[in-house]
Amino acid sequence: MKRRIGCGAVLLSVLAAPVLLVAIVSALPKPAPAPALQTVGKVAGIPQRMLAAYQNAATRLPREVPSCRGMRWPVLAGIARIESNHASDRTITARGDITPRILGPVLDGSGTGGNHTAFPDTDGGRWDGTASSERAVGPFQFLPSTWNGSGRDANDDQATDPHNADDAALGAAVYLCGNGRNLDDRAQLRAAIFQYNHSTAYVDDVLGWIDRYSQLATGTLPIGQPATGDARTVVTAALAQTGIPYSWGGGNASGSTRGICCSPSGKTGTTITGFDCSGLTTYAYAQVGIRLPRTADRQAGIGTRIPASLGPGALQPGDLVFFAYDPSSDSTIHHVGIYLGNGQMINAPRPGTQVRSEPLWDHGFAGGARLL
């Protein structure tokens, strides 16, 4: 009898286990659905027609480079953000043609900044408007010589045009893929971007935008996350200062003040009433009774520190957000803003500017701090 009861108990526990498992799984929070791409484009500042071109290129790429893995629209968007800001100041037709054309400087050996390399003409001026040399063209800034090998017809009009959003995006995808990279692998993605532009700083900038667009697309960087309570008061107070001039040393708990120093450019000084970065945050947080130290690096020591390694997705509206010469060292922090949500911050950027809202800077991102 005991053996039967024992076996029955075991049998009962085995039968009950799947039910219990189902109950546990059902109780787990479901991941938030990815936001509509139209919403992502609006928040990210990407024109819808360009976003459609990036999507189309990622979809069509397997036909062109079957061995390539990991091509996603954020990869193309990251490149185009740096190369042309998504052709945002141009007209883009329904078929993808961009006017006026986006043309880089003529590379005839007379450039400044130490780059005096001349590039012989390869297109007779067809794409770049000069038959004596070369210059980068289109939203992805292809050299005509590179376009000759990577250009593709992505809108089925029997032409390959670097000044067409669809063609240019697919051409960039082909170029980044090489002979068949796995762009899900961070090292291979870095190598692909470095091939596009042999600059480590360029690679870091592009990767920062790729990561941000990826977070927006998957919902890991929340869209429409509202500021509430004291955070709303802080954000509202900072936004109310939009348009006030930057003034080095300007701003305190009571509001804007004259600066305490000058600059050779004359863009800041004791005659300008306004805020610097930490003056703005000092004022905004004073509205909820929090007194902050006066400098950005010392403000990083207040509240709960949010490491840069967690990315912007760990930030909430109202958090302080920091930037440093060396993001691993708080002693090198030189700038602070207030996170607004959606990858945006409000800050007093630099001499000659005004308090404004803008995307989080990628270069030098040093995490944040939560005070509320």
Side-chain angles (χ1 to χ4, degrees):
M1 180 69 68
K2 289 181 179 179
R3 292 178 61 184
R4 288 181 180 178
I5 292 174
C7 290
V10 171
L11 180 60
L12 179 61
S13 64
V14 171
L15 290 173
V19 177
L20 179 60
L21 181 60
V22 170
I24 292 173
V25 171
S26 298
L28 292 175
K30 295 180 180 179
L37 208 60
Q38 185 175 2
T39 302
V40 170
K42 184 176 180 180
V43 170
I46 304 175
Q48 292 297 321
R49 185 60 186 84
M50 290 300 295
L51 185 55
Y54 307 151
Q55 285 182 280
N56 179 60
T59 299
R60 294 181 65 124
L61 180 69
R63 307 180 202 174
E64 305 292 340
V65 190
S67 58
C68 187
R69 298 290 182 270
M71 176 55 69
R72 302 164 287 120
W73 73 257
V75 174
L76 299 171
I79 296 284
R81 171 60 178 80
I82 301 300
E83 295 295 348
S84 69
N85 195 20
H86 308 297
S88 59
D89 61 345
R90 300 300 204 268
T91 297
I92 310 171
T93 68
R95 66 190 299 272
D97 294 324
I98 298 171
T99 55
R101 290 183 166 188
I102 302 172
L103 301 172
V106 175
L107 302 174
D108 60 0
S110 61
T112 59
N115 181 9
H116 299 279
T117 302
F119 289 79
D121 176 69
T122 61
D123 68 333
R126 179 185 181 189
W127 302 124
D128 60 9
T130 173
S132 61
S133 188
E134 295 270 85
R135 57 181 169 188
V137 298
F140 283 87
Q141 289 292 276
F142 277 100
L143 286 176
S145 56
T146 306
W147 180 253
N148 289 339
S150 299
R152 295 293 189 276
D153 173 19
N155 60 0
D156 300 319
D157 65 353
Q158 309 306 312
T160 57
D161 185 349
H163 298 286
N164 178 275
D166 297 313
D167 292 359
L170 184 54
V174 169
Y175 186 74
L176 288 166
C177 277
N179 292 325
R181 290 188 172 99
N182 177 8
L183 300 181
D184 285 328
D185 180 89
R186 192 75 167 186
Q188 293 189 50
L189 178 59
R190 290 191 68 93
I193 300 169
F194 188 80
Q195 173 185 300
Y196 209 94
N197 186 322
H198 292 184
S199 163
T200 300
Y202 176 89
V203 173
D204 290 340
D205 284 345
V206 170
L207 283 172
W209 286 105
I210 291 172
D211 290 343
R212 181 177 303 162
Y213 294 146
S214 297
Q215 290 173 338
L216 285 170
T218 58
T220 53
L221 182 55
I223 290 176
Q225 183 182 13
T228 59
D230 284 349
R232 182 179 180 86
T233 301
V234 168
V235 166
T236 300
L239 287 170
Q241 312 312 308
T242 300
I244 291 180
Y246 179 98
S247 185
W248 194 88
N252 57 31
S254 300
S256 58
T257 66
R258 288 189 177 186
I260 62 175
C261 192
C262 52
S263 71
S265 66
K267 293 179 179 178
T268 185
T270 57
T271 62
I272 298 177
T273 298
F275 293 97
D276 65 7
C277 66
S278 54
L280 177 66
T281 54
T282 295
Y283 168 74
Y285 269 89
Q287 309 315 301
V288 294
I290 296 178
R291 293 185 63 84
L292 293 181
R294 186 55 183 80
T295 60
D297 60 331
R298 292 182 60 202
Q299 289 182 4
I302 305 299
T304 301
R305 195 73 167 86
I306 303 168
S309 59
L310 296 181
L315 298 172
Q316 294 179 6
D319 289 344
L320 293 176
V321 59
F322 302 104
F323 302 87
Y325 297 112
D326 177 2
S328 66
S329 173
D330 282 0
S331 65
T332 69
I333 287 175
H334 59 84
H335 189 71
V336 61
I338 297 173
Y339 189 61
L340 299 176
N342 298 340
Q344 301 281 315
M345 67 176 176
I346 183 165
N347 70 134
R350 63 185 66 86
T353 64
Q354 301 172 333
V355 174
R356 67 191 186 196
S357 302
E358 60 184 327
L360 291 180
W361 301 347
D362 295 298
H363 186 67
F365 175 67
R370 184 160 301 145
L371 283 63
L372 302 170

